[in-house]
Amino acid sequence: MQIAFFSTRKYDRDSFEAVYGDSKDIEFHFIEPSLDVKTAVLAEGCDAVCIFVNDDASGPVLEILKDKGIKYIALRCAGTNNVDIKKAEDLGLTVVSVPSYSPEAVAEFAVGMILTLSRKYHKAYHRVRDGNFLLDGLLGQNINGKTVGLIGTGRIGLCTGKILSLGFGATVIAYDPYPAPAEVAQKHGITYVQQLDELLERSDMISIHCPLLPSTRHVINEETIGKMKNGVILVNTSRGGLIDTSALIKGLKENKFAAVGMDVYEKESEYFFRDSSEKVIQDDQLSRLLSFHNVFVSGHQAFFTIEALHGIAETTLSNLRSLAKGEQCKNIVKSSK
């Protein structure tokens, strides 16, 4: 099987080559550009494409891939919001994903982001390097004893709740239309609330852990922000489109938030996973977010651990081998129709 591997970085190549070693059944063609309508032709001659979170697998791109002989779309991530699944099915393209690789990686990063915001690690680091050892402006707050709200409790959300509840002694509440069984929630130190509004009103800190779906897009918006406590800490390590950026900026300007942590951004595809240090950022909303003293932005790095990359490579290769052999693959993604 010939695979066109889009959005290639050195760490992708290293992790996949380490897992498949000298295997001859699958051959990867590593391509640095992201997949879109202009680059889709680079997949010609291959059986499948392997794509990541910011690759474009919308309808027009899928039509080009189909025309070039592609049969399979292999996502090396859990989220599928960048793929038109229904269109893929109509074209006879099979889509597979990596539903779980290392929930601990993202959960630990989310907790680390909460710690950074609540204890101002990032500010202290730069201040001390400049020879300034004053503590003024670095006053923080405990996580212990606070109420932390989780929006979404899949594997990552559950893991985050466990760390915060059992590790830090926080009161962890959660909202999810499809809650975990009671015994699972109890094991992770999580108590469910019936309505999102209750979580927003009670939480001192909020961490988002839900997929990006039509029903969850802009779940954080002007209305929901208005229902949060003043001085709340908000963290998003899931998908950028879960937050309405305009509403977030408005809330920041009105001093609604003590701090905001974002590992994702709804228009991140133009900048994330790229070096723009010698360019002027043309996205005015991103530039505005970066200007706030109480906003901490990282470049979609929560997943980025040795263990997670290894797990992604293993599952992706297993998916592709199952497809190549005509076997049933447990990680096929289907549309809701």
Side-chain angles (χ1 to χ4, degrees):
M1 180 180 280
Q2 303 290 316
I3 316 296
F5 194 112
F6 284 88
S7 298
T8 300
R9 298 293 179 267
K10 182 179 183 300
Y11 50 80
D12 294 310
R13 185 191 295 267
D14 289 347
S15 61
F16 272 78
E17 288 180 344
V19 170
Y20 77 75
D22 297 326
S23 301
K24 303 298 182 183
D25 58 329
I26 293 176
E27 183 177 349
F28 283 98
H29 300 275
F30 294 106
I31 301 169
E32 186 173 337
S34 300
L35 175 65
D36 57 30
V37 290
K38 295 179 180 178
T39 62
V41 294
L42 298 175
E44 187 167 12
C46 292
D47 305 290
V49 296
C50 184
I51 62 174
F52 198 46
V53 293
N54 288 326
D55 287 301
D56 176 7
S58 58
V61 178
L62 294 176
E63 289 178 352
I64 296 171
L65 294 176
K66 176 68 174 181
D67 184 61
K68 298 302 179 183
I70 297 297
K71 304 180 185 70
Y72 312 113
I73 313 294
L75 285 151
R76 54 185 191 276
C77 55
T80 61
N81 54 281
N82 56 329
V83 183
D84 186 336
I85 305 297
K86 179 62 170 60
K87 182 67 173 182
E89 290 176 346
D90 292 343
L91 293 171
L93 300 172
T94 302
V95 181
V96 292
S97 70
V98 182
S100 178
Y101 40 90
S102 176
E104 295 81 10
V106 181
E108 290 171 7
F109 192 92
V111 174
M113 188 167 268
I114 291 173
L115 276 169
T116 297
L117 296 170
S118 60
R119 298 306 303 271
K120 302 179 173 62
Y121 293 156
H122 53 317
K123 294 185 179 182
Y125 172 79
H126 289 293
R127 182 180 292 190
V128 169
R129 287 180 66 84
D130 288 337
N132 182 353
F133 295 88
L134 287 173
L135 298 183
D136 303 71
L138 298 180
L139 185 65
Q141 58 179 305
N142 292 357
I143 295 176
N144 180 268
K146 295 297 190 299
T147 297
V148 182
L150 305 178
I151 301 177
T153 53
R155 295 178 180 90
I156 295 170
L158 287 173
C159 187
T160 304
K162 184 177 181 180
I163 296 170
L164 291 166
S165 174
L166 306 185
F168 285 86
T171 297
V172 179
I173 60 176
Y175 172 75
D176 195 315
Y178 306 98
E183 63 274 15
V184 174
Q186 183 178 12
K187 178 181 177 182
H188 290 78
I190 295 172
T191 300
Y192 282 101
V193 296
Q194 296 300 310
Q195 301 293 329
L196 177 60
D197 285 359
E198 181 181 351
L199 181 144
L200 299 172
E201 292 164 3
R202 289 178 54 189
S203 299
D204 302 299
M205 304 169 180
I206 297 173
S207 190
I208 307 174
H209 299 284
C210 55
L212 179 58
L213 306 168
S215 59
T216 60
R217 179 173 292 277
H218 289 179
V219 66
I220 302 301
N221 52 54
E222 187 169 354
E223 180 181 356
T224 52
I225 289 172
K227 294 175 181 177
M228 297 178 188
K229 287 184 177 182
N230 291 329
V232 67
I233 289 177
L234 175 67
V235 166
N236 185 12
T237 54
S238 295
R239 288 292 184 267
L242 297 169
I243 295 179
D244 180 341
T245 306
S246 297
L248 179 66
I249 291 172
K250 182 174 184 291
L252 284 161
K253 290 169 69 176
E254 295 173 351
N255 296 313
K256 182 70 175 182
F257 301 97
V260 173
M262 303 172 63
D263 187 51
V264 289
Y265 169 61
E266 65 177 326
K267 293 179 282 187
E268 68 178 53
S269 60
E270 293 297 318
Y271 293 98
F272 284 26
F273 307 111
R274 293 176 170 87
D275 181 3
S276 297
S277 58
E278 296 185 1
K279 302 176 183 177
V280 174
I281 293 178
Q282 300 296 323
D283 185 328
D284 291 342
Q285 288 189 324
L286 179 57
S287 295
R288 188 68 178 97
L289 287 171
L290 295 174
S291 75
F292 288 105
H293 71 89
N294 57 342
V295 174
F296 177 46
V297 179
S298 53
H300 208 133
Q301 119 185 40
F303 79 99
F304 197 53
T305 66
I306 295 168
E307 294 82 1
L309 288 179
H310 184 84
I312 289 169
E314 279 194 329
T315 302
T316 301
L317 286 163
S318 176
N319 289 342
L320 290 168
R321 286 189 171 117
S322 294
L323 295 173
K325 295 175 182 177
E327 300 172 350
Q328 181 64 36
C329 178
K330 65 179 180 179
N331 295 323
I332 289 178
V333 181
K334 297 183 178 180
S335 68
S336 58
K337 294 184 179 180

